[in-house]
Amino acid sequence: MGDKLPEPHASSSPAVAASSEAEEIEVLDSEDVLPMAAEDFDPDNTGYISTEKFRSLLQRHGSELDPHKLEVLLALADSNSEGRICYQDFVNLMSNKRSNSFRQAILQGNRRLCSKALLEETGLSLSQRLIRHVAYETLPREIDRKWYYDSYTCCPPPWFMITITIVEVAFFLYNGVVLDRFVLQVTHPLYLKNTLLYHPQLRAQAWRYLTYIFMHAGIEHLGLNVVLQLLVGVPLEMVHGAARISFVYVAGVVAGSLAVSVADMTAPVVGSSGGVYALVSAHLANIVMNWSGMKCQFKLLRMAVALICMSFEFGRAVWLRFHPSAYPPCPHPSFMAHLGGVMVGITLGVIILRNYEQRLQDQTLWWIFLSIYVIFVLFAIFWNIFAYSLLDLKLPPPP
C-alpha cells in the first residue's frame, strides 16, 4: 500500500491542476482504463466536469470498472448539488489517489451507497475472504473497506513485521543456546555482556537504543510480544503499508529506550515491547475512537483480552525490575519502554491509522505530534549527554 501515500493537494487551482495532468487517465488497476483524453472530460479547460457529462461517461464505460469502483464514482457524481465536480478530484480518483476534500465529498454526498456491504458478498475465495477480514479488522468506513478490498494485491507482502519477528526469534534461540537458558534468560550472569542490549554505562553506543529489541528477558517475554505484533502488526501493515507501520514501530522502540534513559537512568532495557505497545495501543485507540464504524467481531471481548495481555506483560516487567538482581549492583531491565511505546501509539500511531491513504502532510495533528516527538528525542539526547554528570549519578559498572 506504500505506493499510494503521496497525494496531490486538493486546494490547488482546478484549472491549473487540470492542464497539468497527462492526456490519458488510468483507473485504479492497470486493466481498468477509460479510453478518454483529458479534453473529453474538460474540453474548455475550466477545471470542472458537469455531472450530466460525467454520468453519461459512466453509463458508456461503467461496465469496464469493478462494481465497487463504479460505486465510488457515482457517489462522487452525487456529492455536489451545483451540477459539476472538480476535475482534480476526478483525476485523484483515477490516479488511485484521494485527497481530504475528495473523502469529504464522498462522505457528505447526497446519494447513499445503496449496494450491499462487503461483508454480505458471497462466493469469495479464501484469499478474498482473508482480505475482507483484514479490511473489517482495521478500517472503520465501508467505502474505505471496499477501496482496500479492490486495490490490495499482496505486492509487496507484509514483510516488515514478519522479518522483524523472525530476527527476534533467531536471536533469542541463539542466546538460549549460548546461555543454556530459555526461561528468564535475563537472570543469567552473562546476559548483560551482549552487545545489543541498552546499558546505561554504554549509552554512547547509539545502536543500542534500537538493537535492544533483539534481546528478550525470556521465552515468556518473547512469546507475548511475538503474538501481539503478528496478530496486530501484520494486518495493519497489509492495510497501511510497511513504511507507515515500520515508522510507528521504530518510533516506539526509540522512544522506549530514551524514556528509560531519562526516567530510569540506572537500568538496562531489553525486548521489543516499545514497538509492540506502540502498534497495539494505536490500534485499540483507533477502535475506540471509531467504535460505531468498526465492524470486527467481538470487538469488546477482544479489546478486553488485548488489554489483559498487555497488563500481564507490563506487570511482569514491573515485578522483574524490582526483583533482586542476578548481577548487583545493576538492576534488572526497566519497564519504562512499555510506556514510551504507548505514548507513541496514542499520538503518532493514531494519526497514521485514522488517515488511510491520506497525505499525513495535510494533517495538522500529525505535525503537532511529530514536533513533540522530535522535541522529546532532542531533549533525551541532551539529557544523556549532560544530566548523568550533572546529577553525579552512581551508575552500575559496565558489564
Side-chain angles (χ1 to χ4, degrees):
M1 307 299 290
D3 56 337
K4 301 172 191 170
L5 296 182
E7 297 172 347
H9 286 279
S11 59
S12 59
S13 168
V16 173
S19 62
S20 66
E21 291 300 325
E23 292 185 357
E24 217 169 77
I25 308 299
E26 294 187 1
V27 184
L28 300 181
D29 296 324
S30 58
E31 308 89 33
D32 296 334
V33 177
L34 289 180
M36 299 280 177
E39 54 267 21
D40 293 323
F41 295 105
D42 185 21
D44 299 326
N45 198 28
T46 63
Y48 293 93
I49 311 171
S50 70
T51 53
E52 182 179 352
K53 176 180 288 189
F54 188 61
R55 283 182 175 281
S56 67
L57 291 173
L58 290 180
Q59 289 173 359
R60 294 206 306 266
H61 300 282
S63 60
E64 304 171 23
L65 301 176
D66 183 277
H68 293 154
K69 299 165 187 173
L70 180 60
E71 187 176 299
V72 175
L73 288 170
L74 289 171
L76 177 60
D78 286 335
S79 65
N80 197 313
S81 60
E82 298 178 357
R84 62 181 187 174
I85 62 174
C86 178
Y87 180 75
Q88 184 61 46
D89 281 342
F90 172 65
V91 169
N92 289 344
L93 177 63
M94 295 301 101
S95 307
N96 209 14
K97 302 169 183 176
R98 296 182 298 169
S99 64
N100 286 332
S101 61
F102 172 74
R103 163 173 279 184
Q104 291 302 317
I106 294 298
L107 294 180
Q108 298 173 7
N110 298 323
R111 175 183 179 275
R112 288 181 175 272
L113 299 179
C114 58
S115 66
K116 62 183 178 181
L118 184 60
L119 194 60
E120 299 172 1
E121 297 190 4
T122 57
L124 303 181
S125 65
L126 180 61
S127 61
Q128 289 175 321
R129 291 199 298 271
L130 173 62
I131 296 171
R132 182 179 66 178
H133 174 75
V134 170
Y136 275 92
E137 288 291 310
T138 55
L139 296 171
R141 301 179 182 90
E142 184 67 17
I143 196 169
D144 285 340
R145 290 191 283 260
K146 289 183 176 181
W147 185 284
Y148 167 73
Y149 176 82
D150 290 332
S151 304
Y152 184 70
T153 61
C154 199
C155 185
W159 61 269
F160 175 76
M161 294 309 306
I162 294 174
T163 301
I164 204 76
T165 300
I166 292 175
V167 174
E168 289 172 3
V169 172
F171 271 102
F172 175 78
L173 294 176
Y174 172 78
N175 288 324
V177 172
V178 170
L179 300 177
D180 193 25
R181 183 176 298 179
F182 290 91
V183 178
L184 285 177
Q185 286 184 355
V186 70
T187 60
H188 195 285
L190 299 179
Y191 183 82
L192 290 183
K193 294 185 178 297
N194 195 288
T195 58
L196 296 179
L197 59 78
Y198 169 85
H199 190 282
Q201 279 282 19
L202 304 174
R203 64 188 184 280
Q205 299 175 357
W207 70 84
R208 292 178 180 263
Y209 291 90
L210 186 61
T211 59
Y212 75 91
I213 66 172
F214 301 119
M215 298 289 295
H216 283 81
I219 194 169
E220 67 290 340
H221 185 199
L222 173 73
L224 191 55
N225 279 348
V226 164
V227 169
L228 286 176
Q229 71 185 25
L230 288 179
L231 290 181
V232 177
V234 169
L236 290 179
E237 186 177 347
M238 289 175 65
V239 173
H240 298 280
R244 291 190 173 192
I245 297 306
S246 62
F247 174 82
V248 176
Y249 189 87
V250 173
V253 169
V254 174
S257 55
L258 291 177
V260 172
S261 69
V262 171
D264 196 2
M265 299 168 66
T266 62
V269 61
V270 298
S272 59
S273 297
V276 172
Y277 274 54
L279 290 178
V280 176
S281 58
H283 182 51
L284 295 182
N286 190 42
I287 292 177
V288 172
M289 296 170 69
N290 299 279
W291 187 260
S292 60
M294 297 298 292
K295 302 300 182 183
C296 49
Q297 294 181 326
F298 310 112
K299 55 186 175 183
L300 184 59
L301 175 62
R302 291 162 64 179
M303 278 195 64
V305 172
L307 289 173
I308 290 173
C309 291
M310 293 173 68
S311 300
F312 171 79
E313 160 59 18
F314 182 71
R316 179 209 60 80
V318 173
W319 168 83
L320 183 62
R321 169 63 178 86
F322 297 105
H323 189 269
S325 176
Y327 26 76
C330 185
H332 281 144
S334 175
F335 56 85
M336 291 301 298
H338 299 69
L339 302 181
V342 169
M343 294 307 298
V344 169
I346 62 177
T347 53
L348 292 173
V350 167
I351 297 300
I352 287 177
L353 299 192
R354 281 174 58 86
N355 289 281
Y356 168 64
E357 286 195 352
Q358 305 299 303
R359 286 170 56 96
L360 294 177
Q361 301 95 305
D362 296 339
Q363 313 300 320
T364 303
L365 279 178
W366 165 255
W367 290 110
I368 293 174
F369 289 141
L370 184 61
S371 300
I372 293 173
Y373 181 80
V374 172
I375 291 172
F376 167 73
V377 171
L378 294 176
F379 167 79
I381 291 174
F382 281 101
W383 181 272
N384 277 270
I385 294 174
F386 299 109
Y388 280 76
S389 57
L390 292 176
L391 295 175
D392 195 23
L393 195 66
K394 185 177 181 181
L395 296 177

